[in-house]
Amino acid sequence: MKKVTIKDVALKTGLSVSSISRVFNNYGDISAETIKKVTLAAKELGYTPNSAAKQLSSKKKKIIALILNEINVTRGVAMPLEILGGVVDNLDKTDYEFVFYATNSKKQNQKSLRQFCNERDITGLIIQGLRISDPYYQELETFDLPTVAIDLDIKNEKVGTVSTDNTKAAFEMTQLLDKAGYKNILFLNGTKTATVAQAREAGYREAVDNAQVYYANFSENEACKWAIEYAKMNDFNKIDAIFAASDLMAIGVIKAFRILDLEKNIAVAGFDDITLASYVTPSLTTVRQDMGKISEYAVKDLICQIEKDEIKHRFVPYQIIERESARLTTDKVKTKFEA
Amino acid sequence: MKKVTIKDVALKTGLSVSSISRVFNNYGDISAETIKKVTLAAKELGYTPNSAAKQLSSKKKKIIALILNEINVTRGVAMPLEILGGVVDNLDKTDYEFVFYATNSKKQNQKSLRQFCNERDITGLIIQGLRISDPYYQELETFDLPTVAIDLDIKNEKVGTVSTDNTKAAFEMTQLLDKAGYKNILFLNGTKTATVAQAREAGYREAVDNAQVYYANFSENEACKWAIEYAKMNDFNKIDAIFAASDLMAIGVIKAFRILDLEKNIAVAGFDDITLASYVTPSLTTVRQDMGKISEYAVKDLICQIEKDEIKHRFVPYQIIERESARLTTDKVKTKFEA
DNA sequence: CTGAAAGCGCTTACAG
DNA sequence: CTGAAAGCGCTTACAG
């Protein structure tokens, strides 16, 4: 099958290339008859405008890139997929083209954000999964293309942000645990270089007097090991609850507690509400992030930024979900809390 | 920041545009000195070749598209993400460009595969998630661009395929259940329109004398409902084991069994080994698909098809994993469902 | 080893 | 309402 171009349609209809282009771009100033003729001919020939040519010749490009960092690190965490699906769905409703780009620290060192955008004629971008230590994170601080960063706290007025209010959510969860009677709450954080980790820790610290914070790299395995090590050096009986900065780490802690036979004594809460959270035993009390809304606003805010130059910093509602691993009310009556 | 083009590099170096192009494409026939000059100037200017222009002007294009169908239907199933990550990683090692495209039945009706490939100058494509009822499935039967289909059985000599040997795996699992003493095995399938469902059912049927097959649309919920309904009309005591065509359905059945208080009586096996499989209680006996290898071969075979015109139909090794939900040997003393 | 020029498939002022 | 022509940023024969 040979490639069919705008010329073929022009030839077939006896019109000029310009006219064909005009009907395909809905330029208004065309007779109904030519529209019909062109549409028909294009259909018969199976013509589709070539996007590379379009990009190259057009002044006003409309291409939005979604950049996801470290997409395949953790089995069981489908968050990148939810964002991908959400962004695609929301972009489908607009006339922007979609470009996906998966990166990692190695690729970041080889090609800068600016280079990528230049190479692909990117109009604006949505970016997620960056850690503070990533080259792209630094680059974003002086970046000047419309950008919305998910779960990131960029000190650049030109970069919009969308995320859960991690600090508030963590604060609230800590308070609820406290109110439920868990007085001595330990916080198991991920890494110091993740924006969300810092925000969650801040919320926890606000809510307690004597903060106890440890790190387990957002890893189930490391969380499990941490708990076992901790048990050797300290008395877990002094701890009433462990609030982990991610569900995966919460699951790791529960696994350790099963080994240590501490399961019934200490409450555990997580963060994210990944799919696993509701399937494990005990099911996880956690903070649910609304990835659907996050993707939706990422797209909306980015387009708003591109078209109206308005930059937004948005928090998307979260939900605190009480399950078996930690009680959130004194009176054992299960209630859902919304924010 | 203004866009820097090949012209700027030419100007800065005093060379012609052609020469710049040559060093960027490693054309050999260039003096070491110009290479150095160009490389330096490009770096200083922050030049990156524009890929749209490159595509448009170049004869030999190298763009591989990954098309994923219905990416965001089932929460908890990260398979599309694993494929995406795998394909990206493997493509990164080559000099092919990567294009991602998420589709669904609605979009398939709006834009044909051929149109998409024409629009984007696609050299070859990897496609996954299609059901037999999908427009693209039909289109693939007469498609003539290099293509590798994952988990699909296309009756087109020009389309390569990569998948688990679903029939053999299902056959083997059924046999292992039988050998372990589960004589009366029921098969709970997904949909009749999924290639993998047909293959798995075939394997099951080969292994049993009196096939009993039901469908639950690959849905956890429907599987749960099915089991409850089945219990009303039939005697579950006659069934020794249920082999579900997906882990999610297996989990649904187990949920129903918990409600029906049948948990200890009937073994359950799944297929896929999704993350949940090892976390639920009882953990799931299942067939593990090697998505890493599947993605790897999809890329390899596609490139082989593009460059050497060799079409492959490949089965990737699977692994049968025994966990708590079903015993797979008679001798091993292991009670069902022990923690 | 290097340059001038045509061309890839479109869009978009500019005329008419 | 329509066409001729320049141009987007590259690549690639063709000369030299």
Side-chain angles (χ1 to χ4, degrees):
Chain A
M1 242 185 256
K2 246 217 87 212
K3 198 192 253 180
V4 14
T5 74
I6 200 171
K7 257 190 187 164
D8 300 311
V9 185
L11 239 57
K12 183 163 178 125
T13 53
L15 290 160
S16 74
V17 163
S18 337
S19 296
I20 314 299
S21 172
R22 280 190 198 100
V23 352
F24 266 87
N25 292 289
N26 304 311
Y27 264 39
D29 222 19
I30 334 146
S31 77
E33 201 194 347
T34 40
I35 295 187
K36 217 190 301 172
K37 256 206 295 198
V38 171
T39 316
L40 187 72
K43 194 160 203 172
E44 279 180 28
L45 294 168
Y47 168 71
T48 325
N50 178 277
S51 76
K54 226 168 154 156
Q55 259 178 59
L56 197 59
S57 63
S58 174
K59 305 289 117 187
K60 47 174 194 298
K61 39 178 192 153
K62 292 187 153 219
I63 306 172
I64 287 178
L66 171 66
I67 300 186
L68 257 27
N69 189 45
E70 300 289 1
I71 207 180
N72 39 13
V73 278
T74 324
R75 191 169 144 84
V77 179
M79 228 166 79
L81 188 63
E82 293 181 52
I83 292 175
L84 177 60
V87 167
V88 167
D89 281 353
N90 283 290
L91 232 31
D92 275 347
K93 300 172 198 157
T94 73
D95 58 342
Y96 284 85
E97 280 214 39
F98 172 71
V99 166
F100 171 77
Y101 183 60
T103 190
N104 54 43
S105 4
K106 197 178 152 210
K107 282 160 87 175
Q108 286 180 39
N109 280 311
Q110 289 166 184
K111 186 183 291 184
S112 71
L113 255 191
R114 161 58 54 184
Q115 278 180 315
F116 169 76
C117 293
N118 195 41
E119 188 178 309
R120 305 289 203 89
D121 285 316
I122 301 303
T123 321
L125 49 87
I126 297 171
I127 191 160
Q128 190 263 357
L130 249 36
R131 287 160 304 187
I132 295 178
S133 53
D134 279 310
Y136 283 7
Y137 186 90
Q138 283 182 40
E139 197 179 346
L140 277 184
E141 303 198 330
T142 56
F143 207 59
D144 61 351
L145 229 55
T147 302
V148 169
I150 294 176
D151 270 351
L152 240 47
D153 188 23
I154 304 282
K155 301 140 206 69
N156 177 347
E157 295 171 336
K158 315 270 286 183
V159 172
T161 55
V162 184
S163 69
T164 298
D165 189 340
N166 287 289
T167 303
K168 184 159 160 252
F171 175 79
E172 201 175 317
M173 174 64 95
T174 311
Q175 267 201 334
L176 286 172
L177 288 167
D178 181 271
K179 276 189 198 148
Y182 305 113
K183 288 305 170 191
N184 203 355
I185 305 169
L186 183 152
F187 188 66
L188 182 59
N189 206 351
T191 59
K192 296 190 183 184
T193 55
T195 306
V196 296
Q198 297 176 342
R200 289 169 198 173
E201 181 172 329
Y204 159 79
R205 283 182 185 276
E206 256 178 69
V208 298
D209 295 327
N210 58 330
Q212 299 156 270
V213 178
Y214 294 84
Y215 296 86
N217 202 29
F218 285 119
S219 146
E220 177 187 349
N221 221 342
E222 288 188 37
C224 180
K225 280 185 195 150
W226 166 81
I228 289 171
E229 284 308 308
Y230 184 91
K232 286 184 191 158
M233 314 295 290
N234 307 269
D235 187 0
F236 253 133
N237 286 325
K238 289 186 185 151
I239 306 290
D240 299 310
I242 293 186
F243 178 16
S246 80
D247 287 345
L248 235 34
M249 291 193 295
I251 290 171
V253 168
I254 288 174
K255 194 187 267 176
F257 283 178
R258 197 144 38 214
I259 296 167
L260 298 166
D261 205 22
L262 244 45
E263 223 176 332
K264 306 270 180 283
N265 308 335
I266 304 167
V268 176
F271 206 109
D272 289 338
D273 197 30
I274 59 177
T275 309
L276 281 179
S278 50
Y279 285 87
V280 289
T281 311
S283 57
L284 234 53
T285 291
T286 190
V287 179
R288 169 180 291 170
Q289 302 209 66
D290 189 341
M291 300 320 294
K293 277 261 174 295
I294 287 182
S295 325
E296 186 187 326
Y297 283 122
V299 171
K300 253 187 211 160
D301 291 357
L302 178 58
I303 291 179
C304 179
Q305 199 176 131
I306 292 171
E307 295 176 358
K308 297 182 208 153
D309 210 29
E310 281 172 29
I311 283 134
K312 298 209 170 114
H313 297 281
R314 189 189 296 271
F315 284 134
V316 159
Y318 57 88
Q319 211 182 339
I320 292 194
I321 300 191
E322 179 182 3
R323 296 208 187 88
E324 299 161 357
S325 70
R327 187 170 28 86
L328 291 184
T329 41
T330 12
D331 47 70
K332 291 236 175 186
V333 182
K334 282 204 180 179
T335 335
K336 262 190 203 166
F337 293 83
E338 288 200 34
Chain B
M1 244 185 255
K2 245 217 89 213
K3 198 192 255 181
V4 15
T5 73
I6 200 171
K7 258 190 185 165
D8 300 311
V9 185
L11 239 57
K12 184 163 179 128
T13 54
L15 290 159
S16 74
V17 164
S18 337
S19 296
I20 315 298
S21 172
R22 281 191 197 98
V23 354
F24 266 87
N25 291 290
N26 303 312
Y27 264 38
D29 221 21
I30 334 145
S31 76
E33 200 195 348
T34 41
I35 296 186
K36 217 189 302 172
K37 255 207 295 197
V38 171
T39 315
L40 186 72
K43 193 160 205 172
E44 280 182 27
L45 294 169
Y47 168 71
T48 325
N50 179 277
S51 77
K54 227 169 153 154
Q55 261 178 57
L56 197 59
S57 62
S58 175
K59 306 287 117 186
K60 46 174 195 297
K61 40 178 192 153
K62 292 187 153 219
I63 307 172
I64 287 180
L66 170 66
I67 301 185
L68 258 26
N69 188 45
E70 300 289 0
I71 207 181
N72 40 13
V73 277
T74 324
R75 191 167 144 86
V77 179
M79 229 165 78
L81 188 63
E82 292 181 51
I83 292 175
L84 177 60
V87 168
V88 167
D89 281 354
N90 284 289
L91 232 32
D92 275 346
K93 300 172 197 156
T94 74
D95 59 341
Y96 284 85
E97 278 214 40
F98 172 69
V99 166
F100 171 76
Y101 183 61
T103 189
N104 54 45
S105 6
K106 197 179 151 207
K107 281 160 88 174
Q108 286 180 40
N109 281 311
Q110 289 167 184
K111 185 183 293 185
S112 70
L113 256 191
R114 161 59 56 184
Q115 279 181 314
F116 169 76
C117 292
N118 194 41
E119 188 178 308
R120 304 289 203 89
D121 286 315
I122 302 302
T123 322
L125 49 87
I126 297 171
I127 190 159
Q128 190 263 357
L130 249 36
R131 287 158 306 187
I132 295 179
S133 52
D134 279 310
Y136 283 7
Y137 186 90
Q138 285 182 39
E139 198 178 345
L140 278 184
E141 303 198 328
T142 57
F143 206 60
D144 61 350
L145 229 55
T147 302
V148 168
I150 294 177
D151 271 352
L152 241 46
D153 189 22
I154 304 282
K155 301 140 206 70
N156 178 346
E157 295 171 335
K158 316 270 288 182
V159 172
T161 54
V162 184
S163 68
T164 298
D165 190 341
N166 287 288
T167 303
K168 184 158 161 251
F171 176 78
E172 201 174 314
M173 175 63 96
T174 312
Q175 266 202 333
L176 287 172
L177 288 168
D178 181 89
K179 276 190 198 147
Y182 305 113
K183 289 305 167 189
N184 202 356
I185 305 168
L186 183 153
F187 189 67
L188 182 59
N189 205 351
T191 60
K192 297 189 183 185
T193 55
T195 307
V196 297
Q198 296 175 344
R200 289 169 197 173
E201 182 172 329
Y204 160 79
R205 285 183 184 277
E206 257 178 68
V208 298
D209 295 328
N210 58 330
Q212 298 156 271
V213 178
Y214 293 83
Y215 295 87
N217 201 29
F218 285 119
S219 145
E220 177 186 349
N221 222 342
E222 288 188 37
C224 180
K225 280 186 195 151
W226 165 82
I228 288 172
E229 284 308 307
Y230 183 90
K232 286 185 191 160
M233 314 293 292
N234 306 270
D235 188 359
F236 253 133
N237 287 324
K238 289 186 187 152
I239 305 290
D240 299 310
I242 292 187
F243 179 15
S246 79
D247 287 345
L248 234 34
M249 291 194 294
I251 290 171
V253 169
I254 288 175
K255 194 187 267 177
F257 283 177
R258 198 144 36 214
I259 295 169
L260 297 166
D261 207 19
L262 244 45
E263 223 174 331
K264 307 268 182 282
N265 309 333
I266 304 167
V268 176
F271 206 111
D272 289 338
D273 196 30
I274 59 177
T275 309
L276 281 178
S278 50
Y279 285 86
V280 289
T281 311
S283 57
L284 234 52
T285 292
T286 190
V287 178
R288 169 180 292 170
Q289 303 209 65
D290 189 341
M291 299 320 293
K293 277 261 175 296
I294 287 183
S295 326
E296 186 187 325
Y297 283 122
V299 171
K300 256 188 208 157
D301 291 357
L302 179 58
I303 291 178
C304 179
Q305 200 178 131
I306 291 171
E307 294 175 359
K308 297 181 208 155
D309 210 28
E310 282 172 28
I311 283 134
K312 299 207 170 116
H313 296 281
R314 189 190 294 272
F315 283 134
V316 158
Y318 57 88
Q319 211 183 335
I320 292 196
I321 300 190
E322 179 182 3
R323 295 207 187 90
E324 298 161 359
S325 70
R327 192 173 21 90
L328 291 184
T329 41
T330 14
D331 42 87
K332 203 183 280 179
V333 212
K334 188 170 178 190
T335 337
K336 248 195 286 173
F337 300 169
E338 74 188 345

